[in-house]
Every structure is written in C-alpha cells, then in structure tokens.
Amino acid sequence: MTASLPPREAAPTGWTALAEAARRVEELLAALPEPGARTPQQRAAVAAAQDTARSHRVRFLDEHVDTVYDRLTEGRTANLRIGELVEAAAKEYPGLVPSEDQLAVERGRPQAAKEGHEIDQGVFLRAVLRSSTAGPHLVDAMLRPTARARDLLPEFLRDGVVQLEAVRLERVDGVAHVTLCRGDRLNAEDGRQVDDMETAVDLALLDPGVRVGLLRGGVMTHPRYQGRRVFSAGINLKELSSGGISLVGFLLRRELGYINKMVRGVHTGTDPDTGSDAPGRWHTPLVEKPWVAAVDGFAIGGGAQLLLVCDHVLAASDAYLSLPAAQEGIIPGAANFRLGRQVGPRLSRQVVLGGRRLWATEPEARLLIDEVAEPRDMDAAIDRAVSRLDGDAVLANRRMLNLAEEPPDAFRAYLAEFALQQSLRIYGEDVIRKVGRFAAGAARTAGAP
C-alpha cells in the first residue's frame, strides 16, 4: 500500500493522519505471525493500532465522504455497484479500504484466520449510505440490472427458462417461477446463490411477459430430506466458517441487490444519448411486480427474511420459520427493520433474540403467513394466490404500501448501520466459535439444520 493520495487534488483534511495510521497497521501485521499464532499481547497491539486507524477513517469520512464518492463516481455519473465502489476506493484512496491484494490473502483463509480488513469496508460503506447525497445514488445504482442479467435476457425472452447453478427461472402463463435448487444443501445461501438470485429477479422483472413472481424451494437430494421440497436453510454456516461469506459480495449485495429489487423494482435506466427516461417510463424508471412465496419444509434465517418482502406468503401446514441469527451471532439482514412492523415488537424480540420457531399453524404465525395449505394442496393454493395478484391495480397499490411502510431513506439509514455492525459481527470471537462448531458438526452429520 502507498500511504499517499493520488495526485488529482491536494490532500484533504485528515488524510495524512489516516494514511499514516493505516501504514502503521500494515507494518505491524507484516511483522507478526498469522492471527491464530499470536500471543495475547500481540493481538492487543493489533487491536489498538486498528482502532486508531478506524477512528481516523471515521473522522475523515464524516467530513469528506461526499467528495470521495463524487471522485469515485465522476460526479455521480457512474453507477458503481458496491463491489466496484470499494475496489475504486482502494485504488484512489489507498488505506481508506483494504486493497485487492489484502482481500486476496483474506479470501484464502478461514474466517478465524482473517485480519478483519472487511471491517474497514463497513466503515466506508456506512459513511456512504448515511450521506443524503451519496447514499441514495448508491442504492439507486444497486437497483439497476446486473450485466449478467442483461446478457441472459434475450435467451430468457426467447425460451422462457434459464437454468442457473443455484436457481431455476421459468415463465409459465405470466408467472416467473423462481425455484431455489441447491438440493444437496437445503438451499443454504452462499455467494453463488446470491448472484443467481439477483440474476433471476432481474430477468423476471425485465420480462414484459411476467406479471407475478413466485419463490419456492425445489426438491431436495439431501439425504435427510430427499424427495421433499424445502424453502431455505438460510446462510451457509459452513461456508461462513471457511471464509467464503463476504461482507460486500454476499451480506450487503443481498440486501441492496435482489431483495431490495423485490420491494422497489429494477431500475431500467436512462437513454445514454438523451439522458431521458426510457420510452414509456416517464412516470418511474422502476419496473416492479408482486411476489408470492410458497414455503415447504422450513424457511430459516435468510429464507424467513425473504417472506418479509413478499406480497403473499403461503406455507404448508407442516412448515416452520425461524431467524436464529442471534444464536449464530450475526444480524439477520434487514429482518430487524421489517419484522417488528409486521408482527409487533414483543414477538419480534422473541423470534430474533430468543430464537423462537414459528410453526405455520400457530396463531402468531398468521402475522407473517397469509395462507396455510396441506402439503398435497400446495400447487392448487399457489395457482389461486398468483391469480389474485395479477392486476394493474395490485401494482399501483403495492407501490404505495411499500412507500408508506418502508420509506427509502429509512431503509438506507438501517443499511448504513447494518454495514458496520454486520462487519463487526462476522469477525466476533463468539461467531467464529459458533460457526466453527456448526461446521464441524455438519461434517459429521451431513449438515442437518
């Protein structure tokens, strides 16, 4: 790392102190053994140096975040996704966020052996999202279709089906069937699934032949649930323990990407020549559609989070849902933002803090589940549910409901703090111990949730 600002402008206030503090951290880490081999005194020295550098980052960003963001996005004319944004920041402001070389070393390590450089990304992204200028621009950039989806769109428009590794998307009579198909791992979420889900949601929203989206888990090959449908086992804790769950590429992309697109729609952009909205989109650049979720088996963690953004939730009578993030030690995405509004503060705390499991047939579960059907009747119930949501008036009313229930600025403020707090949590000693025990147990027992 070069601890100086590239020569496009004079160094802003606080930059020299930040660059020097970042250099000291790097020199200290280079002189020490890897994290697992350090003495308590060495760990304390690293923590103190990192705290000093992070204090300088916070002060610098409090004063200059809009200037930094405008420089990275060319005056907010470039719509950088969060991954592109932190990559650009690492090049333009070395020491502000971890470099690609630092992250490459981290990617090759299990979570317990990492230095925690992603926390600095959390500091940076909290500042960006908190800004009333930079934050809305970043959220807007994340609502635009991915390059992968744009590439696959002609194929999907032609064939009505796209088979991805973790998700199958098929258009049937105006319904986009988004089927989670990681049958060997109970649809446990990892980076591959997040990428495939955002691609599928983009395609469903961009296809004018789709009127309603349907989320459902596929048939499992996992030995304990073989031949049965399962919605989702939530985050893949084995992948988290091995270091494969990233803050930017998984935890933040998931919330700002496909889940937020399910709520607000996909941004169709503007004409690059005229700068005006796409033809016929003068009233809004967002294309949105209603979503139905059909829960077979269970919706754990991230699976339960998806139910909170769907317009109709149908569950089999033997299904359950839970949000065990507090037991795992992490934050359940934006569930803490949405759950209390839907079920009330007391039940929200029972589910999030106490780990309460809600069975579909419990009275309290009806605050989250609109309809319960016997497993053999799920297909017919799904057909009825998607038919009820097929209408122009549904679109207009869901837009106004979502605007009232989840104002964009409130969502952005939550995600700003989430960016920092989740970055701290995934490096918490308690999390590393818990997911390590889970991963070891999963290896012994074939990964039952």
Side-chain angles (χ1 to χ4, degrees):
M1 179 191 74
T2 302
S4 61
L5 193 66
R8 279 174 52 182
E9 58 190 36
T13 306
W15 175 254
T16 301
L18 166 57
E20 177 62 20
R23 183 187 62 78
R24 289 174 183 168
V25 170
E26 191 170 350
E27 290 177 350
L28 178 60
L29 294 179
L32 294 176
E34 292 188 1
R38 291 172 190 163
T39 66
Q41 293 78 12
Q42 289 171 332
R43 290 196 295 270
V46 170
Q50 289 174 330
D51 281 348
T52 297
R54 285 166 185 157
S55 294
H56 284 295
R57 283 189 184 92
V58 169
R59 288 195 290 271
F60 175 78
L61 289 166
D62 281 348
E63 186 172 352
H64 301 293
V65 66
D66 288 338
T67 300
V68 169
Y69 188 81
D70 277 358
R71 174 168 171 173
L72 298 178
T73 61
E74 301 178 16
R76 283 171 281 137
T77 61
N79 295 300
L80 300 185
R81 291 173 61 83
I82 49 173
E84 297 168 328
L85 183 68
V86 294
E87 183 179 348
K91 294 175 180 176
E92 289 287 301
Y93 294 87
L96 183 61
V97 295
S99 68
E100 177 53 35
D101 288 344
Q102 289 173 315
L103 293 175
V105 172
E106 295 281 82
R107 281 193 289 270
R109 295 176 172 178
Q111 198 71 8
K114 294 184 179 184
E115 301 288 2
H117 291 305
E118 287 178 299
I119 295 171
D120 299 326
Q121 292 179 329
V123 171
F124 171 65
L125 290 170
R126 179 181 68 162
V128 171
L129 287 165
R130 286 170 65 178
S131 165
S132 60
T133 301
H137 187 268
L138 177 57
V139 173
D140 178 88
M142 288 298 295
L143 287 175
R144 293 168 187 266
T146 65
R148 186 185 185 203
R150 290 195 298 269
D151 289 343
L152 287 172
L153 184 58
E155 174 188 341
F156 182 61
L157 293 176
R158 182 187 68 240
D159 301 335
V161 61
V162 170
Q163 179 66 61
L164 307 172
E165 182 179 333
V167 178
R168 176 181 172 83
L169 173 66
E170 184 176 11
R171 181 181 65 246
V172 180
D173 297 330
V175 178
H177 291 249
V178 179
T179 303
L180 287 67
C181 57
R182 281 286 183 85
D184 60 332
R185 63 198 71 184
L186 307 177
N187 290 326
E189 295 179 299
D190 57 16
R192 173 76 277 148
Q193 189 175 44
V194 167
D195 187 52
D196 286 355
M197 280 294 291
E198 184 162 17
T199 301
V201 168
D202 280 350
L203 292 172
L205 292 170
L206 292 170
D207 181 358
V210 168
R211 299 185 301 276
V212 181
L214 168 68
L215 297 183
R216 195 178 188 187
V219 176
M220 298 294 102
T221 58
H222 187 284
R224 289 194 60 181
Y225 296 86
Q226 191 164 15
R228 297 168 54 187
R229 284 185 181 268
V230 163
F231 192 73
S232 174
I235 191 171
N236 189 326
L237 295 177
K238 184 177 179 181
E239 190 77 3
L240 175 57
S241 178
S242 67
I245 298 294
S246 70
L247 175 70
V248 169
F250 179 97
L251 294 163
L252 288 172
R253 176 183 176 179
R254 183 176 179 275
E255 302 300 330
L256 287 164
Y258 82 87
I259 296 181
N260 198 32
K261 287 173 177 175
M262 289 175 65
V263 176
R264 305 186 197 285
V266 67
H267 195 302
T268 55
T270 56
D271 186 303
D273 295 322
T274 66
S276 60
D277 293 327
R281 304 302 305 173
W282 55 266
H283 48 92
T284 174
L286 297 169
V287 176
E288 59 184 287
K289 289 163 189 179
W291 291 90
V292 173
V295 181
D296 304 275
F298 44 77
I300 299 173
Q305 294 167 32
L306 292 179
L307 309 185
L308 303 178
V309 301
C310 287
D311 302 289
H312 187 88
V313 178
L314 171 67
S317 59
D318 59 352
Y320 69 87
L321 58 91
S322 65
L323 286 165
Q327 287 68 51
E328 297 160 355
I330 58 177
I331 300 168
N336 295 350
F337 176 63
R338 297 177 172 124
L339 184 64
R341 184 177 68 239
Q342 298 188 24
V343 306
R346 297 268 46 94
L347 183 56
S348 178
R349 280 165 171 75
Q350 292 169 25
V351 171
V352 174
L353 303 182
R356 178 175 172 179
R357 178 180 293 185
L358 289 176
W359 290 89
T361 52
E362 289 185 67
E364 292 92 338
R366 297 308 296 272
L367 296 168
L368 292 170
I369 297 170
D370 299 286
E371 185 179 357
V372 177
E374 293 302 313
R376 63 180 179 275
D377 298 328
M378 284 289 285
D379 290 344
I382 288 170
D383 289 342
R384 292 192 298 270
V386 297
S387 294
R388 286 194 296 269
L389 290 180
D390 186 358
D392 293 340
V394 169
L395 285 176
N397 280 288
R398 83 179 293 274
R399 177 175 299 168
M400 300 311 294
L401 285 168
N402 286 336
L403 181 63
E405 294 172 357
E406 192 169 302
D409 284 347
F411 170 76
R412 178 171 55 81
Y414 177 91
L415 260 292
E417 191 62 24
F418 173 80
L420 177 61
Q421 296 303 323
Q422 191 74 303
S423 72
L424 294 168
R425 282 285 73 220
I426 60 176
Y427 289 98
E429 292 184 6
D430 59 322
V431 173
I432 290 170
R433 286 196 308 271
K434 289 173 183 176
V435 299
R437 288 197 299 267
F438 178 90
R444 292 192 300 270
T445 63

